[in-house]
Amino acid sequence: MPTALGLCNNEITKDMYVDCSCHGTPEWPISRYEPSMLRLPASKTEVSVVWRPAGSSLALRMRMQWWRDALGELYPNEPATQHQEPSVEGFLNSTAVSCWNNPVVRALHHAIQEKDLTKRFLERLLDAREADLDIRQLATMEDATFYAEDTCSNLLYLSLECAGVRDEAADEVASNAGIGWGLTTSIRATLHRANNGEMAIPAEILPSTIPTNYLLARLNPEFTPNEANETAIREAIQYMAFQASTYLNRAREIQGKVPRKGRSCLLPAVPALHHLSRLQEAQFNIFDEKLNANQSRLVLLVTLGKSWFVGKF
């Protein structure tokens, strides 16, 4: 188990800076967290890799199905949900054996056995990621909100369970914090997803006349920006940031409902709030190089430390 947990730590360290999470940045004292919490972001990272265009659509779907079958092994006494489909003949019949070779699965199994984690939260993560395979741009802000809840909020629900907190009031805080965190992550991922031909900003608030290659071309210092496009992008980002801030501030207002032992589960809200503040200072210009300044990251780490110590964000 130490080896499996160590791999989870490494996966989080590599992936979570981009994902706007505070779990496992190299400078942050990971050892202070409940070990089961580290297994959750690692499983989210593993499933996130399926979303990346690393192969054919069939291969990606087979990998997603592999995770669904692995969940079946992790919860052998629970029936499959309506989303569960039969495994591909000759390829996934060996899941019962192969999944246990995966250190993230082994670590997640330990967390499930130790904390009795709710299966449907993990299934929602898979459902959201699988749906994302077919989507290049979400249609509406409502879709973006649902996606944020299905991914980030569910991760926070599971983290609370790892901390021994099972309470509807605490889940309300986690729901709001997760949506705000997820929307902020979408903003941060705009240029990254543009590299994959995808648009992180919903079509409802960004004209379809602005292609993803415009965002990439905008990174060239010699490129001459289109004033109309620049205004449209800033207004769309400002609207998304406002929605994210609304959810995060709501979570901040009611965070007292979460027992002290579960407060650290909400720390991903801290870098989200920090980024939104920096974004406002940059007048919602996602191309501003100051957004990734080292000085800004130092301030974030100090804020994280303070929030962890006082139990509030």
Side-chain angles (χ1 to χ4, degrees), residues 170-293:
D171 285 348
E172 180 186 2
V173 180
S175 175
N176 282 278
I179 293 173
W181 171 27
L183 291 177
T184 304
T185 301
S186 292
I187 295 173
R188 293 191 65 193
T190 300
L191 299 179
H192 174 74
R193 296 197 70 162
N195 275 313
N196 298 326
E198 300 174 345
M199 179 64 76
I201 306 172
E204 179 183 49
I205 61 174
L206 187 70
S208 58
T209 54
I210 302 178
T212 56
N213 58 11
Y214 176 85
L215 299 179
L216 299 177
R218 180 64 173 77
L219 297 175
N220 186 342
E222 299 180 359
F223 179 75
T224 302
N226 178 287
E227 185 175 348
N229 286 351
E230 294 294 301
T231 300
I233 293 171
R234 287 194 186 214
E235 289 180 350
I237 293 295
Q238 183 176 6
Y239 183 76
M240 283 191 74
F242 173 77
Q243 295 298 320
S245 179
T246 299
Y247 282 105
L248 288 168
N249 285 328
R250 173 58 178 164
R252 174 182 271 172
E253 290 171 0
I254 61 176
Q255 64 182 306
K257 295 181 179 181
V258 181
R260 177 80 184 191
K261 62 181 180 180
R263 299 282 179 84
S264 63
C265 301
L266 303 175
L267 283 178
V270 176
L273 284 165
H274 176 77
H275 185 73
L276 291 176
S277 176
R278 297 287 296 174
L279 193 61
Q280 185 175 16
E281 292 175 4
Q283 298 181 330
F284 304 100
N285 178 15
I286 58 173
F287 306 104
D288 194 323
E289 296 180 356
K290 295 179 182 178
L291 290 175
N292 296 316

Side-chain angles (χ1 to χ4, degrees), residues 15-183:
D15 196 69
M16 285 301 169
Y17 179 69
V18 174
D19 202 31
C20 200
S21 170
C22 61
H23 294 292
T25 52
E27 301 90 341
W28 187 244
I30 298 172
S31 59
R32 297 182 182 181
Y33 282 91
E34 161 64 48
S36 296
M37 291 183 190
L38 298 180
R39 297 164 181 131
L40 298 175
S43 62
K44 178 175 178 287
T45 297
E46 278 266 314
V47 174
S48 297
V49 172
V50 178
W51 164 84
R52 293 169 186 159
S56 69
S57 177
L58 177 61
L60 295 174
R61 292 189 182 283
M62 291 175 76
R63 182 61 177 172
M64 188 66 73
Q65 185 60 49
W66 185 93
W67 269 104
R68 290 194 183 281
D69 290 346
L71 271 188
E73 292 297 316
L74 292 170
Y75 292 90
N77 298 322
E78 294 189 25
T81 67
Q82 60 180 345
H83 298 284
Q84 185 81 12
E85 299 178 357
S87 299
V88 178
E89 185 69 26
F91 179 78
L92 294 172
N93 289 335
S94 61
T95 298
V97 176
S98 66
C99 75
W100 298 111
N101 294 326
N102 186 305
V104 175
V105 171
R106 296 199 303 272
L108 188 58
H109 175 256
H110 184 79
I112 291 170
Q113 295 298 309
E114 188 178 61
K115 302 295 182 179
D116 190 26
L117 301 182
T118 302
K119 181 182 180 182
R120 71 175 181 276
F121 295 148
L122 292 165
E123 288 178 325
R124 287 174 186 171
L125 284 169
L126 284 173
D127 292 341
R129 291 299 186 184
E130 184 168 26
D132 199 38
L133 293 176
D134 296 320
I135 298 174
R136 292 294 175 181
Q137 182 180 22
L138 293 172
T140 67
M141 273 301 300
E142 184 178 34
D143 292 336
T145 299
F146 285 148
Y147 183 79
E149 181 164 27
D150 285 342
T151 52
C152 296
S153 294
N154 276 296
L155 188 61
L156 296 185
Y157 300 150
L158 289 163
S159 295
L160 286 172
E161 290 187 345
C162 286
V165 177
R166 295 173 183 267
D167 179 87
E168 289 186 6
D171 285 348
E172 180 186 2
V173 180
S175 175
N176 282 278
I179 293 173
W181 171 27
L183 291 177

